[in-house]
Amino acid sequence: SQQGEEDPQALSIQEGENATMNCSYKTSINNLQWYRQNSGRGLVHLILIRSNEREKHSGRLRVTLDTSKKSSSLLITASRAADTASYFCATVTGANSKLTFGKGITLSVRP
Amino acid sequence: GAGVSQSPSNKVTEKGKDVELRCDPISGHTALYWYRQSLGQGLEFLIYFQGNSAPDKSGLPSDRFSAERTGGSVSTLTIQRTQQEDSAVYLCASSPSSGQLYGYTFGSGTRLTVV
């Protein structure tokens, strides 16, 4: 069953603009992670936010977590054409448990 | 090695044949995961190893699918009597321990095509 669901499913923006992607989930989590996938192959881990954290930054990335609303957002500032990829949120729900992924968001950044 | 290595990168097989997919995780990573991704879909969990044991194999779609891990390192995913619906990209990932503290490092995947 789907735990994380991303919104929107697709996003197209101009280079230099900010991109905001949202993720909602259903059950309590230990942590939430965001990944990027280029060309349908391996995923790259971007950032991990624990359930007791509310915001985290990494370079041009900003992630927020609202456990009361069971939602997270990923903000990419000053987007670049190289940011074009699919982005997935994934949650860890229990001890020794695996990541459960959403279906992903396709981000296109136009030069 | 420096990353997670998967082989082969591409595999075309005839329906009914058996296939073996290999994953070589990052040295020292105790947790290893198999996922598969069908065209345009999210990642479907298959199985999780902690060391050589598999605490969670709930995602294996049928008894045609099996996996093992030896020496706490290399893992092999075996699909017997392949079917066309098995066509997908099979992704392996590893992490230093279970997923509460660390992100996963993924391999580049094996694209399996059953004809």
Side-chain angles (χ1 to χ4, degrees):
Chain A
S1 62
Q2 210 72 36
Q3 163 71 326
E5 292 193 6
E6 296 94 341
D7 169 64
Q9 290 186 326
L11 181 61
S12 180
I13 59 174
Q14 199 73 37
E15 200 166 31
E17 294 180 337
N18 296 340
T20 299
M21 291 168 273
N22 303 300
C23 171
S24 61
Y25 57 90
K26 298 175 183 174
T27 61
S28 296
I29 61 170
N30 285 337
N31 70 62
L32 184 144
Q33 305 179 26
W34 286 90
Y35 287 79
R36 185 185 72 227
Q37 185 179 38
N38 292 88
S39 305
R41 298 305 286 258
L43 281 77
V44 174
H45 178 254
L46 296 176
I47 198 164
L48 180 155
I49 186 165
R50 296 185 176 82
S51 60
N52 61 353
E53 297 175 310
R54 292 297 168 257
E55 186 170 316
K56 209 162 182 180
H57 296 255
S58 177
R60 295 184 295 113
L61 305 180
R62 172 177 167 252
V63 170
T64 61
L65 179 65
D66 187 335
T67 53
S68 66
K69 295 181 179 178
K70 293 186 170 58
S71 67
S72 172
S73 66
L74 171 67
L75 170 67
I76 304 175
T77 59
S79 63
R80 305 166 182 169
D83 295 329
T84 295
S86 293
Y87 291 81
F88 294 86
C89 76
T91 55
V92 176
T93 56
N96 297 320
S97 72
K98 72 281 189 182
L99 279 174
T100 302
F101 287 82
K103 290 189 175 181
I105 298 171
T106 301
L107 173 66
S108 298
V109 181
R110 305 185 301 274
Chain B
V4 177
S5 178
Q6 290 189 245
S7 62
S9 56
N10 288 284
K11 176 73 176 178
V12 179
T13 189
E14 291 182 353
K15 179 181 171 181
K17 295 282 179 70
D18 298 351
V19 295
E20 284 190 353
L21 312 180
R22 176 188 168 105
C23 173
D24 202 339
I26 292 174
S27 178
H29 279 195
T30 60
L32 185 148
Y33 307 82
W34 284 96
Y35 288 81
R36 74 176 177 181
Q37 185 177 31
S38 302
L39 187 64
Q41 297 297 309
L43 276 74
E44 176 188 5
F45 167 77
L46 297 178
I47 188 169
Y48 152 55
F49 287 93
Q50 182 65 37
N52 290 337
S53 63
D56 188 349
K57 53 179 77 172
S58 62
L60 294 177
S62 74
D63 58 8
R64 296 187 295 105
F65 288 72
S66 62
E68 65 174 10
R69 188 180 185 193
T70 55
S73 181
V74 172
S75 176
T76 302
L77 177 69
T78 301
I79 309 173
Q80 296 179 310
R81 304 181 302 280
T82 52
Q83 303 293 314
Q84 288 186 331
E85 61 262 28
D86 300 334
S87 296
V89 176
Y90 288 81
L91 292 160
C92 174
S94 70
S95 68
S97 66
S98 63
Q100 294 190 47
L101 298 176
Y102 304 99
Y104 293 7
T105 302
F106 277 85
S108 295
T110 294
R111 185 178 299 278
L112 175 66
T113 303
V114 182
V115 296

